[in-house]
């Protein structure tokens, strides 16, 4: 594949970019520096760049004659986690790229440069999207609501990849749901404040909230069929300021995840019902305030697009490095670029292709004892403070895999 002949020249600056982004992460909605860095890279590569799309979103467009329009999407934001990897380029603040978005961006940037330098070998339009606020599941819809497709053209396909704790140099494709859908809820439980020594004169929202947390576990074990994949997780519980004071409120943040929309909607309703019932049982002075703060459907890549990209990856990497992906309960807002977002962008039928990118270096993989399954269970997962993709081995595959995927459309239009 001639376009990939320039990978060696692109790799060093792409690694530098990745390490720079890793060292300076920015949280969802605050990705100013990251967006500017990606925009500057794309301008240097010959793209027409527009910023400020749906927040700090960046779009680079490279037109190269008549042909397909291929969109490559990568994420700008990091997580509110303190990194504990011990890497020399680790983030030192309260945010960290603990989900690989820095590597996704560097891979998209490297692919953008290879496509620009290899224009003799393809025809069409390449569109690079740096999306903000993926971790809050709001960035894709914000960019689409800001006219992403109307302003930059309807894509024939949207491509994305995501790092996972598989051996670097491998990719994984899935048919059917790859990632779960999710609903994020925030609940405020209203108690009656008072003195810790006179609890009978108060209504303790901590007790009510604790009861709700325990009871919520039964929404999976007793309300979902054993064959359904459903997760209910209470990720945040805040109440009170002192050990001798009964607070007048408690706040819960809950995530519901499921592989089917029916299971997701049913379980989210069950979560609300349980919280309201526990408040009633405790005699809370008023009903809880419950709000849905995020929602994302399951990620279903287009089967035909998946087959096309998978074939390109087999040609590139060899069949032994392209494996099957089983559904994960992680979630994404990537589905909104396709039919799940039609209500926002108004363009049904846009194909999505999404695959997983191995990010564990050979030394780390070899050090772990046991079977492959045991190794995977022992590795720090995405969103862990210890999550640390091996940039030297994962990034070359990320760049070449994304470039090959784009060329499976663009090169077909070349004379």
């Amino acid at each position: 594949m001639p376009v990939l002949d320039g990978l060696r020249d692109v790799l060093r600056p792409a690694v530098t970019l990745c390490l720079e982004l890793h060292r300076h992460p920015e949280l969802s909605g605050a990705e100013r520096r990251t967006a500017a860095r990606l925009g500057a890279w794309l301008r240097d590569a010959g793209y027409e760049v527009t910023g400020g799309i749906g927040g700090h979103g960046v779009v680079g467009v490279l037109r190269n004659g008549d042909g397909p329009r291929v969109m490559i999407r990568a994420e700008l934001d990091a997580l509110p986690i303190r990194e504990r990897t011990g890497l020399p380029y680790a983030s030192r603040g309260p945010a960290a790229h603990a989900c690989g978005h820095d590597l996704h961006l560097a891979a998209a940037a490297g692919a953008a440069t290879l496509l620009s330098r290899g224009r003799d070998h393809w025809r069409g339009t390449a569109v690079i999207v740096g999306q903000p606020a993926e971790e809050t599941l709001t960035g894709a819809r914000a960019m689409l609501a800001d006219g992403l497709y109307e302003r930059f053209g309807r894509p024939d396909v949207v491509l994305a990849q995501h790092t996972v704790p598989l051996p670097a140099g491998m990719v994984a494709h899935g048919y059917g749901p790859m990632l779960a859908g999710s609903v994020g809820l925030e609940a405020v439980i209203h108690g009656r404040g008072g003195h810790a020594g006179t609890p009978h004169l108060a209504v303790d929202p901590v007790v009510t909230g604790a009861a709700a947390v325990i009871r919520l576990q039964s929404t999976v074990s007793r309300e979902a069929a054993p064959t359904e994949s459903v997760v209910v997780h209470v990720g945040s519980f805040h109440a009170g300021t002192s050990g001798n004071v009964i607070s007048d409120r408690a706040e819960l943040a809950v995530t519901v995840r499921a592989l089917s929309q029916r299971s997701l909607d049913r379980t989210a309703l069950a979560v609300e019902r349980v919280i309201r019932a526990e408040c009633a049982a405790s005699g809370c002075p008023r009903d809880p305030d419950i709000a849905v703060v995020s929602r994302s459907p399951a990620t279903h890549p287009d089967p035909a697009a998946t087959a096309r990209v998978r074939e390109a990856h087999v040609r590139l990497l060899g069949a032994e490095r392209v494996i099957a992906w089983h559904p994960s309960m992680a979630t994404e807002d990537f589905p909104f670029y396709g039919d799940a977002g039609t209500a926002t962008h108004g363009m049904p039928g846009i194909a999505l292709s999404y695959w997983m990118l191995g990010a564990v270096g050979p030394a780390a993989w070899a050090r772990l004892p046991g079977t492959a399954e045991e190794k995977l269970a022992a590795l720090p997962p995405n969103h862990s403070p210890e999550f640390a993709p091996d940039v030297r081995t994962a990034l070359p595959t990320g760049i070449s895999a994304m470039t090959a995927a784009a060329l499976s459309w663009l090169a077909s239009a070349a004379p």
Side-chain angles (χ1 to χ4, degrees):
M1 194 175 292
V3 174
L4 289 172
D5 290 345
L7 177 60
R8 179 173 296 181
D9 294 335
V10 169
L11 190 55
R12 183 179 294 274
V15 168
T16 300
L17 173 65
C18 188
L19 302 188
E20 177 188 335
L21 296 174
H22 191 95
R23 188 179 289 112
H24 302 287
E26 294 175 304
L27 295 174
S28 303
E31 311 94 335
R32 294 176 182 84
R33 186 181 187 279
T34 307
R37 188 67 182 86
L38 177 64
W41 178 292
L42 293 175
R43 287 188 189 92
D44 288 345
Y47 287 71
E48 299 174 17
V49 177
T50 305
I53 311 299
H56 296 298
V58 178
V59 177
V61 179
L62 182 66
R63 298 176 180 84
N64 191 32
D66 295 333
R69 183 177 298 269
V70 173
M71 182 172 285
I72 295 171
R73 173 270 205 173
E75 315 95 310
L76 301 171
D77 56 336
L79 284 159
I81 293 174
R82 286 195 175 271
E83 184 171 349
R84 295 202 305 264
T85 62
L87 294 168
Y89 52 88
S91 167
R92 306 300 180 191
H97 274 296
C99 203
H101 292 184
D102 51 340
L103 195 144
H104 305 168
L105 273 177
T113 297
L114 288 178
L115 290 171
S116 179
R117 294 178 181 177
R119 277 175 280 187
D120 291 344
H121 302 283
W122 60 272
R123 292 291 181 271
T125 301
V127 182
I128 314 298
V129 173
Q131 180 203 305
E134 186 279 328
E135 295 294 357
T136 57
L137 302 177
T138 58
R141 278 177 292 180
M143 293 193 77
L144 292 162
D146 202 10
L148 178 67
Y149 291 167
E150 292 88 346
R151 296 165 67 178
F152 304 101
R154 173 195 169 103
D156 292 279
V157 66
V158 186
L159 308 173
Q161 59 187 344
H162 204 294
T163 55
V164 290
L166 289 171
M170 299 183 72
V171 298
H173 291 271
Y175 293 89
M178 286 190 72
L179 300 175
S182 72
V183 175
L185 304 102
E186 292 182 353
V188 178
I189 295 172
H190 301 283
R192 184 183 299 118
H195 195 289
T198 56
H200 58 292
L201 301 178
V203 176
D204 191 345
V206 174
V207 174
T208 304
V213 170
I214 298 301
R215 181 61 188 273
L216 284 174
Q217 310 312 308
S218 69
T219 57
V220 175
S221 65
R222 290 298 175 265
E223 299 195 33
T227 54
E228 293 181 288
S229 296
V230 180
V231 170
V232 174
H233 172 65
V234 180
S236 176
F237 187 162
H238 293 283
T241 57
S242 175
N244 63 354
V245 175
I246 294 174
S247 176
D248 63 358
R249 62 188 277 151
E251 301 173 1
L252 301 179
V254 185
T255 296
V256 180
R257 296 167 186 255
L259 293 178
S260 76
Q261 192 63 43
R262 182 178 179 182
S263 297
L264 186 63
D265 293 341
R266 186 182 67 245
T267 308
L269 288 173
V271 167
E272 292 196 39
R273 186 188 73 236
V274 166
I275 294 173
R276 293 185 189 282
E278 291 294 346
C279 289
S282 296
C284 290
R286 53 182 280 205
D287 289 340
D289 298 321
I290 302 176
V292 174
V293 295
S294 66
R295 187 182 292 273
S296 184
T299 300
H300 282 267
D302 178 76
T306 296
R308 182 186 288 204
V309 174
R310 186 183 184 282
E311 182 180 348
H313 287 166
V314 168
R315 290 195 302 268
L316 173 72
L317 303 171
E320 69 281 359
R321 293 167 64 189
V322 181
I323 63 172
W325 178 258
H326 298 289
S328 164
M329 300 309 289
T331 195
E332 257 268 22
D333 66 358
F334 183 67
F336 289 113
Y337 291 96
D339 285 348
T342 300
T344 302
H345 57 68
M347 298 185 185
I350 294 173
L352 305 181
S353 180
Y354 187 93
W355 63 93
M356 301 303 181
L357 176 70
V360 180
W365 185 263
R367 278 197 304 268
L368 292 170
T371 65
E373 185 176 356
E374 291 169 336
K375 289 174 184 281
L376 292 173
L379 287 163
N382 299 67
H383 290 214
S384 163
E386 287 89 24
F387 183 71
D390 190 274
V391 176
R392 293 170 301 173
T393 54
L395 185 55
T397 303
I399 294 173
S400 57
M402 183 58 78
T403 305
L407 288 173
S408 66
W409 273 268
L410 296 170
S412 65

